[in-house]
Amino acid sequence: MLYIITIVLFAFWSILVIRKGDLSWHSVAGLYVTTLLAADTGDVACDYWLNLYDLPGHLLKNPASDHYLGIVFSDGIILPLIAIIFCHYSVKHHRPWLLSFLFAAILGIMEVLYRQLGYMVYHHWSPWVTTLLAFIAFRILAEFAGRFVHRSPPVSYRFRLLCATYVITEWPGAVLSGIMHLYKWRPHLFADPYADDRFTAMTIAVVMGGLAAYLAPKFRDREKPFLFLGLGLVSTVFALWASRSGLLRYYRWDHLWTVVRYMTPYLLVFWYDQWESASAKGEPPLVMW
């Protein structure tokens, strides 16, 4: 329940700063996808790969699902909202060191509270490490806050597309595999099945995001539906091959759902690309019909 309360508080705070007019929806989207990619990589690495801490959500009966739900809440909602709020104040007050310290302190205090209430379990960790890493991350973000908020110059189109492709293609996996256990990647790179699944899924999402970011600028707007359709087909064929090879295990799943799961996100990636491209050109977005 503490995660839900935190989400509501930061969502309300972020709505207030967005309504002030400094942040466009393009800025919000760019900050969201960038923060989620960075936070997801860090949390999954520290939690599953290195076993430094756990983030139980205390909302689901299945301990494994509940454990991953905490990461989904943290990386997918709470930290991106905090990044949006931070960038608003960063461009408004131009005091990067002070703001970085204050927001890092907020995260440190939150972590102490979470640990006291059982929503974070340390194995080899400390709130001082979180505060230090958060301070470094906020200080770096402060250097780019103006580019996210004012978009003059904007953050690299390729970087934004990479992050957006990662987020759009990985969110379904986080829910369907991480929380619902409908299927699992199991190439046996790690002894822990969850670490194995998350590392593989995240690697695939980053590789496909990199391909999208590299290829998209080389295609004209009317050719891009075929590009993203092709990327969806590549992902789908790879997943079907992995299933036949035993690298992808079905539980309550089948090939039809695999096709839907790996094709559908690229339709959203296409729309995101068109939305961003149209904004940069000052034109209405291209439609598929």
Side-chain angles (χ1 to χ4, degrees):
M1 194 63 183
L2 183 58
Y3 281 104
I4 303 298
I5 295 172
T6 306
I7 289 170
V8 170
L9 291 175
F10 281 111
F12 180 74
W13 191 358
S14 65
I15 290 171
L16 290 180
V17 301
I18 291 171
R19 286 174 62 88
K20 290 181 181 295
D22 295 331
L23 288 156
S24 69
W25 287 111
H26 290 277
S27 301
V28 170
L31 279 166
Y32 177 81
V33 297
T34 302
T35 305
L36 195 155
L37 173 56
D40 212 26
T41 304
D43 255 348
V44 172
C46 291
D47 192 332
Y48 285 109
W49 307 342
L50 301 176
N51 194 33
L52 300 180
Y53 54 75
D54 292 332
L55 295 170
H58 295 300
L59 289 173
L60 301 177
K61 293 181 179 179
N62 185 314
S65 298
D66 188 65
H67 181 179
Y68 192 69
L69 184 63
I71 292 182
V72 170
F73 281 151
S74 174
D75 300 351
I77 305 177
I78 296 172
L79 292 178
L81 289 176
I82 293 174
I84 291 167
I85 296 166
F86 173 82
C87 282
H88 164 77
Y89 289 109
S90 183
V91 299
K92 182 177 181 180
H93 297 292
H94 304 287
R95 304 187 71 175
W97 290 100
L98 176 60
L99 287 170
S100 298
F101 173 79
L102 290 176
F103 274 79
I106 289 173
L107 283 184
I109 294 170
M110 285 175 54
E111 186 165 300
V112 170
L113 177 63
Y114 271 58
R115 188 189 181 197
Q116 290 294 324
L117 296 177
Y119 286 83
M120 186 165 189
V121 179
Y122 289 168
H123 301 307
H124 311 283
W125 198 251
S126 164
W128 294 108
V129 176
T130 296
T131 304
L132 175 61
L133 293 177
F135 176 79
I136 295 171
F138 282 126
R139 188 62 189 85
I140 294 172
L141 182 58
E143 294 298 313
F144 295 92
R147 299 186 64 176
F148 277 110
V149 176
H150 299 305
R151 295 168 63 86
S152 181
V155 176
S156 165
Y157 160 76
R158 280 193 162 107
F159 179 76
R160 282 181 284 129
L161 186 58
L162 185 156
C163 294
T165 303
Y166 173 86
V167 170
I168 294 170
T169 57
E170 180 54 12
W171 251 114
V175 176
L176 299 173
S177 177
I179 295 176
M180 298 178 68
H181 301 285
L182 301 182
Y183 62 86
K184 279 284 183 293
W185 288 95
R186 196 67 170 105
H188 293 283
L189 299 173
F190 295 86
D192 180 8
Y194 251 93
D196 218 22
D197 175 69
R198 291 297 85 208
F199 175 82
T200 306
M202 291 171 62
T203 300
I204 293 171
V206 169
V207 169
M208 297 309 297
L211 283 174
Y214 175 74
L215 294 172
K218 301 178 181 295
F219 283 71
R220 292 177 295 183
D221 282 345
R222 295 193 177 277
E223 298 170 342
K224 286 185 177 179
F226 302 102
L227 167 64
F228 292 112
L229 175 63
L231 292 175
L233 286 172
V234 169
S235 296
T236 302
V237 170
F238 178 77
L240 293 173
W241 170 83
S243 174
R244 288 179 58 89
S245 303
L247 304 177
L248 176 61
R249 299 180 180 179
Y250 294 165
Y251 298 109
R252 291 169 290 163
W253 200 249
D254 57 39
H255 288 326
L256 176 60
W257 285 115
T258 294
V259 174
V260 173
R261 182 261 180 271
Y262 283 99
M263 287 297 298
T264 305
Y266 287 94
L267 176 64
L268 299 179
V269 174
F270 167 71
W271 281 110
Y272 175 85
D273 170 78
Q274 293 299 291
W275 180 57
E276 288 282 21
S277 298
S279 174
K281 298 175 184 177
E283 302 172 353
L286 176 72
V287 296
M288 293 182 66
W289 51 85

